[in-house]
Amino acid sequence: MAGGTWTSQNKKQPGVYINVKSNMTRGVSAGDRGIIAICEPLSWGPEGELMTINISDDFTPFIGYDSTNSKAIFLREIFKGSGHTRGPVKVMLYRPATTGSAKAKATIETLTVTAKYNGVRGNDISVSLVADPDNEGSFTVQTIVDGAVKDTQAGKTIADLKSNDWVVFSGTGDLAACAGTALSGGVDGTVNSAAYSTFLIALEPHTFNILIYDGSDSTVQAAYVAFIKRMRDNLGKKCQAVMAGVESDSDAVISVKNGVVLSDGTTLTPQQASWWVGGAEAGANYSESLVYAQYPNAVNVSPRLTAAEIDDALSKGQIVFFEEFGSVKVVSDINTLTTYTPEKGEAFSFNQVIRTLDTIANDVYKNFSQNYIGKIPNNVAGRDLLKAWIVGYLNEIQANGGIQNFVADDVVVETGEAINAVVITLAIQPVAAVEKIYITATLTD
């Protein structure tokens, strides 16, 4: 269904066109959040395919490594959440196609064993064929990864063997004994910038809250910024992008200034810290802020910034980490919007406000598309139904601390210029977390 923002009532497609404005001068059943999208170069898994990883899933079927492996660090960080907010509920993971990649292989007589996917993970696979003493001519065939048996089957000929999650068997003839043969030749390959554009095309039809880019290619960054703005303004899908070192002057983009040091000594660059920022932003709901949110298991920042450097980064709308009392926290939960207008004031630079507005826009879009468009008449009774739902919905948002000072008269539903159009005006005042507390202490005798 069509969607997005509007300036005049000239849309061709039926849809929900939403302009969300706030009357702020400062800064449940509603608002399901928690979906991350990321394109990540990997050493295992299908290329060019969006995979959905839920928070409780074993990572191995998707990336070839379990959650304890260093190769899984990006998913561990994404799913962490903060000291007072949850992490995302799922990650939409895309492995980009590469040039120069190869599958690991091994040959045992006339049997060829090929890793299921391209990448160096295939080099950790070995195959063992042991003669079955109770069945002459038969062999027990085991697929072994990092010393652990992942698949066991029996057969006399190559045709008896079936491919599994790790390898593909091919060839003709009888099987032959082999104590253990390792696969080799697996190569990850090189990811070109164009692969990220292919990812964005695949991602466009899907719904997500945060798009993460953990690289530093300025061409890819520009493509992500353009994509996320188009998703918000043209397609009506309210989401944000997280990356490092970007100054885009947009409430659609969150920029990470510095990295962190984890308790095990691992230093994460600002690009890698975008994993956690993206996950925490997606997991936080409309009534939560990441102001002073603690980064779990982080003990220091890298690099440490001076007070002047922090002020400069904040003036550019960047997320900054600082260390306090042995823990790492976020200074301010902001995006890169730094130029304010009457339509978009300073309140729009706070991600909590954006979460509230996005939640409302996404929920209105979804409800109207499913329950109202083409199903109710454009008359007084029909428009009253629209208003009643919106008022009830916003009362729920207000009860959960997302907005304040809302009354039913803040919703106006009127006929549009076309006979089949309605215009809905909402006046809402999002609630933002306290960031600055000024205290005057007077000492008396």
Side-chain angles (χ1 to χ4, degrees):
M1 190 189 75
T5 58
W6 60 276
T7 54
S8 61
Q9 297 179 41
N10 60 352
K11 301 297 185 181
K12 300 297 184 184
Q13 297 185 46
V16 180
Y17 301 95
I18 304 169
N19 286 345
V20 180
K21 301 180 181 180
S22 167
N23 61 4
M24 284 188 69
T25 56
R26 274 197 50 86
V28 290
S29 60
D32 292 334
R33 286 185 58 86
I35 303 176
I36 289 288
I38 184 171
C39 177
E40 186 71 11
L42 300 172
S43 298
W44 188 257
E47 297 178 353
E49 178 182 323
L50 273 174
M51 302 175 284
T52 299
I53 306 176
N54 296 304
I55 189 170
S56 58
D57 287 344
D58 176 12
F59 297 161
T60 308
F62 304 97
I63 65 171
Y65 302 90
D66 65 28
S67 61
T68 64
N69 195 284
S70 61
K71 291 276 192 175
I73 187 172
F74 74 101
L75 289 173
R76 290 202 303 270
E77 298 305 298
I78 286 174
F79 277 117
K80 265 185 178 179
S82 77
H84 62 258
T85 61
R86 69 175 190 177
V89 295
K90 65 181 178 181
V91 172
M92 297 172 62
L93 174 63
Y94 182 95
R95 183 187 184 189
T98 59
T99 56
S101 60
K103 296 179 180 179
K105 291 186 178 181
T107 301
I108 305 167
E109 299 291 343
T110 59
L111 170 65
T112 298
V113 186
T114 306
K116 188 174 182 179
Y117 301 114
N118 292 325
V120 299
R121 182 55 164 164
N123 300 329
D124 299 324
I125 302 173
S126 62
V127 177
S128 171
L129 289 84
V130 179
D132 184 348
D134 299 322
N135 189 353
E136 185 177 354
S138 181
F139 293 84
T140 298
V141 182
Q142 293 184 325
T143 303
I144 303 165
V145 183
D146 286 338
V149 177
K150 298 295 184 179
D151 178 77
T152 301
Q153 52 187 296
K156 293 183 177 182
T157 68
I158 295 173
D160 295 331
L161 301 182
K162 296 181 179 180
S163 301
N164 56 52
D165 291 339
W166 294 93
V167 297
V168 175
F169 299 105
S170 61
T172 58
D174 295 333
L175 296 175
C178 170
T181 298
L183 278 63
S184 62
V187 179
D188 286 347
T190 303
V191 179
N192 297 318
S193 299
Y196 290 95
S197 297
T198 303
F199 159 63
L200 296 179
I201 293 172
L203 180 63
E204 182 175 309
H206 298 272
T207 298
F208 60 93
N209 301 114
I210 296 291
L211 170 64
I212 298 174
Y213 174 59
D214 58 7
S216 56
D217 187 317
S218 60
T219 301
V220 177
Q221 288 178 334
Y224 272 51
V225 171
F227 172 81
I228 210 72
K229 288 181 177 179
R230 187 168 62 84
M231 290 288 283
R232 292 183 67 87
D233 297 337
N234 295 356
L235 302 182
K237 296 184 177 182
K238 304 303 182 181
C239 46
Q240 292 176 292
V242 174
M243 58 193 82
V246 176
E247 299 176 23
S248 63
D249 196 9
S250 170
D251 55 1
V253 180
I254 300 170
S255 181
V256 181
K257 173 62 177 179
N258 56 345
V260 303
V261 180
L262 302 180
S263 57
D264 64 0
T266 301
T267 298
L268 300 182
T269 64
Q271 286 75 22
Q272 293 169 323
S274 68
W275 299 330
W276 178 83
V277 173
E281 293 285 357
N285 67 37
Y286 59 81
S287 63
E288 296 174 326
S289 173
L290 296 185
V291 174
Y292 269 44
Q294 183 178 341
Y295 191 134
N297 303 119
V299 296
N300 209 338
V301 296
S302 177
R304 296 181 72 95
L305 304 179
T306 65
E309 288 172 330
I310 291 175
D311 285 345
D312 179 65
L314 294 177
S315 70
K316 296 176 180 176
Q318 296 178 320
I319 294 285
V320 177
F321 295 112
F322 74 103
E323 184 273 330
E324 181 181 59
F325 307 123
S327 63
V328 173
K329 300 177 182 178
V330 174
V331 175
S332 186
D333 188 7
I334 55 177
N335 53 61
T336 60
L337 181 68
T338 55
T339 301
Y340 308 130
T341 67
E343 294 295 312
K344 282 191 176 182
E346 183 183 7
F348 283 78
S349 68
F350 300 119
N351 289 323
Q352 183 183 354
V353 171
I354 297 302
R355 277 192 289 277
T356 300
L357 300 179
D358 286 359
T359 296
I360 292 171
N362 286 335
D363 286 353
V364 169
Y365 180 100
K366 180 178 180 180
N367 184 69
F368 281 18
S369 66
Q370 291 179 342
N371 301 315
Y372 289 90
I373 290 182
K375 297 179 181 179
I376 65 169
N378 187 6
N379 55 24
V380 173
R383 292 190 293 275
D384 284 347
L385 283 175
L386 295 180
K387 177 172 180 175
W389 182 87
I390 296 173
V391 170
Y393 169 79
L394 292 178
N395 277 329
E396 181 182 352
I397 296 287
Q398 180 162 256
N400 289 329
I403 60 176
Q404 59 188 347
N405 300 323
F406 171 74
V407 295
D409 288 344
D410 290 332
V411 178
V412 178
V413 180
E414 301 174 302
T415 57
E417 294 175 0
I419 192 172
N420 60 349
V422 296
V423 175
I424 303 171
T425 303
L426 311 180
I428 54 177
Q429 184 179 1
V431 175
V434 172
E435 294 198 20
K436 302 171 185 176
I437 301 176
Y438 299 95
I439 301 174
T440 299
T442 302
L443 300 181
T444 61
D445 294 331

